[in-house]
Amino acid sequence: MRRLGDILVEQGVLTADEMEAAFSSKPRNIMLGDWLVEQKLLSTAELGHALAEQFEVPYVDIDPSNINPQIARLIPEDFARSRQAGAIDIKGHMMTLAMVAPDDIETIAEAELMTGYQIHPAVAMADDIVALVSRIYDDRSVARQTIVDMKMVELHEHSTEEIDPSNSVMVAEQEDAPVVRLVQAILSGAVNAGASDVHLEPLKPEMRVRYRVDGELQQVMTIPNHIEESVISRIKVMADMDTTENRRPQDGHLNVFDGGKRVGFRVSGIPTVDGQKIVLRLLDEGGKTFQLENIGLTERDYSMLREMIDKPHGMFVVTGPTGSGKSTTLYAALQFLNRVDRNIVTVEDPVEFRLPGINQVQSDNEFGMGFANALKFIMRQDPDVIMVGEIRDSETATTAIQAALTGHLLISTLHTNDAVGAVARLGDLGVDNFKIAGSLLGSVAQRLLRCVCENCKRAVPANEKLLNAIDPEGTVDRSAKFFKGEGCKKCLGSGFAGRIPIFEIMPITPEITVAIEAGVPNSKLHQLAVEAGMVELPRAGLEQALAGRTSIEEVYFKTSGDRRSSDAGQSSGSNKTNSGNIARRDTDVA
């Protein structure tokens, strides 16, 4: 076989001197052709034509959108990915197989055996084949095909026979029905996309399916309304919900197996004017970590948080809006406290993750097991540590404070904008200041910031307007570099991939205890907390932006406006309004 370098010189693409210089500077772990393209000495098309001459096969510049998915799927996904090969055309008994290594005889032989076609190899670029495979086996493409299949099934419904449950063959055939594959594609797609929630919304003229990925909702497909009822019914059957009840809210739970692992979904259904709306919360227990040192705490925050919860009694609360990672922090704290000599009991609504060695109770108001009542029963179970999923009413707050004052360690969550706001919130719920001062060990506020995509990140100058808003004191060098994602295939053009938490931890010092008991305004309490070492959320986010993990825009829109004049006299209703404004701004930016 002729050498690639000789071919390129003969074609006049490069001179002999240029080739020699490029070859001598090439790292050992990279192919010559890839190195030449990377150094911009060669275009992808020029490399492809040279490789075609080297291997004596055609070169194909693949456009995945023009490839028939039915042809491409004749090659199994695992085989296509591992062998870097994809079927792109069929003529008669001949299949064209695009390959990175078209001289791989073993791959060609296996493809012929599994497809029954005679393989005609062609050379293609690795990135093109990856793009082809990703598009062809994308769950959205599978879902679109199942919709077509369902329409075909409807044409033959009049001739179908009643399925006998004892007939295992017919039951298996039913399991292959298009609606089953469509639901499986939606659920598998959520797992593969790293989604936290799946929304199926009965709009007109089509049902909309959206995933929440990294805190942002993204539309992935639409489903025709005439198929909507079948999809909803299938999910209800899987979640053991009443398929005949469409007028009342329902909850359920289902499990699927994806890639050999078991993934759970919490299902919630409510009636809307256009039909049943279903939301599925992903509960991927295998992909979760609840080790305190692994949830994203800085060394400073880790030390402060450990000191707070490693106390025999008192109350520790985590605050923040829905979806800010409060549950993960609580579970990590429980795992840290989990020892054989401790009796740990939780009451949750719902129990999202099972923690070995911890007694977890499902809250249920219908059977007298709401948070407040359950807490009273738990107090009779000789607990050392109690976790209450959320303090949301006066009775729960009073009972929780009483538990903390009588020798138990109690941890819970509150809905407030910042760490200091936990004091005012407990006051709004009717707890006396001296009881708050005597029981509170500390409070934590947290947010989740989207991470800049590592594949397309680039350094950018600071947005001075936003930087001045976050850092009005000017402690950060205004010439510092920040980072932003340009948008690529890996991050689906968003510029972000993954999320990172930031924390604001208010310690309880003797001065703060006296201030709480005296009922000082939140502004004064906040000042004392900063003097005691509390790092505010905007500052914590700015540290992450300076480290290149997130963007300054993300920090601003996720943390700005959290703290205005929030004195103790401010009502919880005004806090909610402020939080709503932040959410709206965040949605607009996204």
Side-chain angles (χ1 to χ4, degrees):
M1 183 183 295
R2 298 167 62 198
R3 297 188 304 178
L4 179 64
D6 294 338
I7 294 172
L8 290 169
V9 172
E10 288 176 11
Q11 291 179 343
V13 179
L14 295 174
T15 66
D17 291 340
E18 288 174 328
M19 179 59 66
E20 184 64 30
F23 190 79
S24 61
S25 64
K26 180 184 76 68
R28 289 187 177 183
N29 61 344
I30 188 171
M31 301 292 289
L32 176 61
D34 295 334
W35 176 248
L36 292 171
V37 171
E38 185 177 315
Q39 297 301 304
K40 301 189 184 305
L41 297 171
L42 199 67
S43 70
T44 303
E46 288 171 332
L47 174 60
H49 289 299
L51 289 172
E53 185 171 333
Q54 183 186 30
F55 289 113
E56 298 181 347
V57 296
Y59 162 64
V60 289
D61 184 7
I62 301 174
D63 180 358
S65 63
N66 290 331
I67 303 300
N68 185 335
Q70 300 302 321
I71 292 175
R73 290 196 193 104
L74 291 174
I75 300 292
E77 181 179 1
D78 291 342
F79 183 85
R81 291 189 186 279
S82 62
R83 303 300 180 88
Q84 292 186 291
I88 60 173
D89 192 24
I90 291 177
K91 290 183 179 177
H93 298 288
M94 185 77 70
M95 171 186 284
T96 301
L97 188 67
M99 307 172 66
V100 171
D103 60 342
D104 186 348
I105 303 301
E106 182 180 348
T107 295
I108 293 173
E110 289 188 38
E112 288 182 337
L113 284 173
M114 69 176 59
T115 64
Y117 287 93
Q118 183 180 347
I119 298 300
H120 179 60
V123 68
M125 297 295 100
D127 288 346
D128 288 347
I129 291 180
V130 169
L132 171 65
V133 173
S134 297
R135 179 182 176 88
I136 293 303
Y137 298 101
D138 181 11
D139 292 293
R140 282 172 284 184
S141 299
V142 175
R144 283 191 290 269
Q145 181 58 41
T146 58
I147 291 172
V148 175
D149 293 344
M150 290 180 71
K151 291 178 180 178
M152 296 301 295
V153 168
E154 289 175 0
L155 296 176
H156 302 284
E157 277 186 345
H158 65 278
S159 61
T160 56
E161 298 179 5
E162 189 73 22
I163 294 179
D164 181 2
S166 64
N167 189 330
S168 59
V169 175
M170 294 189 73
V171 170
E173 289 176 351
Q174 185 187 43
E175 287 300 309
D176 287 333
V179 66
V180 176
R181 288 188 281 119
L182 175 57
V183 171
Q184 183 64 38
I186 292 171
L187 301 183
S188 296
V191 176
N192 296 334
S196 60
D197 301 88
V198 182
H199 291 247
L200 290 91
E201 301 163 305
L203 306 177
K204 301 295 183 183
E206 295 178 315
M207 169 179 271
R208 180 172 63 183
V209 180
R210 295 192 289 175
Y211 294 161
R212 187 176 294 279
V213 180
D214 294 337
E216 306 294 326
L217 279 172
Q218 303 174 1
Q219 182 167 322
V220 293
M221 71 178 79
T222 58
I223 299 173
N225 284 141
H226 72 280
I227 299 173
E228 171 188 319
E229 188 175 339
S230 300
V231 173
I232 296 298
S233 295
R234 173 60 184 171
I235 292 174
K236 284 186 173 182
V237 167
M238 294 175 68
D240 197 23
M241 297 162 67
D242 186 353
T243 58
T244 63
E245 179 57 75
N246 295 320
R247 295 174 297 176
R248 296 178 182 176
Q250 290 190 72
D251 292 319
H253 187 278
L254 64 87
N255 295 304
V256 297
F257 288 88
D258 186 81
K261 67 177 180 179
R262 183 169 173 263
V263 182
F265 289 84
R266 189 181 77 216
V267 186
S268 172
I270 61 170
T272 71
V273 293
D274 290 323
Q276 284 277 304
K277 181 182 188 298
I278 298 289
V279 175
L280 302 99
R281 166 64 57 89
L282 200 95
L283 307 174
D284 184 5
E285 299 187 32
K288 278 281 186 182
T289 175
F290 296 120
Q291 299 300 317
L292 199 60
E293 61 270 22
N294 294 335
I295 63 172
L297 291 161
T298 63
E299 289 187 17
R300 171 196 68 224
D301 294 339
Y302 178 70
S303 177
M304 291 178 68
L305 200 151
R306 273 194 59 171
E307 186 178 348
M308 288 179 185
I309 63 176
D310 204 13
K311 299 283 179 66
H313 54 79
M315 175 187 281
F316 167 75
V317 295
V318 182
T319 75
T322 301
S324 60
K326 299 189 299 296
S327 296
T328 298
T329 301
L330 285 188
Y331 282 133
L334 288 177
Q335 285 287 59
F336 174 78
L337 295 167
N338 191 12
R339 297 203 313 247
V340 70
D341 61 343
R342 280 180 175 151
N343 176 24
I344 302 178
V345 187
T346 75
V347 54
E348 307 169 57
D349 183 22
V351 176
E352 293 189 3
F353 298 98
R354 307 294 174 87
L355 301 177
I358 294 176
N359 304 286
Q360 295 174 269
V361 177
Q362 171 69 52
S363 173
D364 193 334
N365 287 313
E366 289 186 13
F367 294 94
M369 284 291 284
F371 281 136
N373 276 343
L375 193 50
K376 293 175 183 176
F377 289 120
I378 289 171
M379 293 281 285
R380 303 170 191 165
Q381 292 284 313
D382 185 30
D384 297 298
V385 180
I386 303 170
M387 191 270 271
V388 179
E390 181 185 348
I391 297 176
R392 61 176 67 155
D393 55 55
S394 178
E395 187 180 4
T396 304
T398 302
T399 310
I401 288 285
Q402 192 64 35
L405 290 171
T406 53
H408 305 90
L409 177 63
L410 187 136
I411 63 178
S412 187
T413 68
L414 282 169
H415 280 290
T416 67
N417 286 330
D418 55 17
V420 175
V423 176
R425 179 59 179 154
L426 288 170
D428 288 344
L429 292 173
V431 181
D432 295 329
N433 287 335
F434 75 91
K435 289 184 178 180
I436 300 173
S439 61
L440 193 62
L441 299 172
S443 65
V444 175
Q446 66 182 83
R447 299 290 187 275
L448 291 175
L449 304 181
R450 292 179 295 170
C451 296
V452 174
C453 175
E454 291 293 332
N455 191 55
C456 62
K457 70 187 294 186
R458 62 180 176 87
V460 295
N463 183 320
E464 290 193 18
K465 185 176 180 180
L466 298 186
L467 187 55
N468 289 335
I470 298 171
D471 180 41
E473 297 84 6
T475 58
V476 173
D477 182 3
R478 271 21 188 188
S479 63
K481 291 292 184 183
F482 292 88
F483 292 86
K484 190 173 184 178
E486 292 184 314
C488 63
K489 292 181 180 179
K490 187 174 181 181
C491 63
L492 301 177
S494 69
F496 295 96
R499 288 192 290 178
I500 188 170
I502 55 171
F503 301 88
E504 176 182 273
I505 303 179
M506 180 182 75
I508 302 297
T509 63
E511 293 78 12
I512 291 177
T513 298
V514 171
I516 293 174
E517 190 168 347
V520 302
N522 268 18
S523 55
K524 177 61 176 177
L525 203 57
H526 175 261
Q527 181 183 340
L528 291 173
V530 171
E531 291 172 359
M534 182 180 80
V535 176
E536 300 165 277
L537 281 170
R539 169 62 57 173
L542 192 55
E543 291 175 358
Q544 298 292 353
L546 287 167
R549 298 187 185 98
T550 189
S551 70
I552 191 171
E553 290 81 8
E554 180 74 359
V555 173
Y556 176 77
F557 288 113
K558 290 292 173 66
T559 65
S560 66
D562 284 353
R563 193 173 294 105
R564 294 293 181 256
S565 55
S566 54
D567 287 350
Q570 187 176 26
S571 70
S572 59
S574 61
N575 287 339
K576 291 179 181 178
T577 302
N578 188 36
S579 177
N581 290 336
I582 296 169
R584 283 193 291 273
R585 287 199 299 272
D586 190 28
T587 303
D588 292 342
V589 171

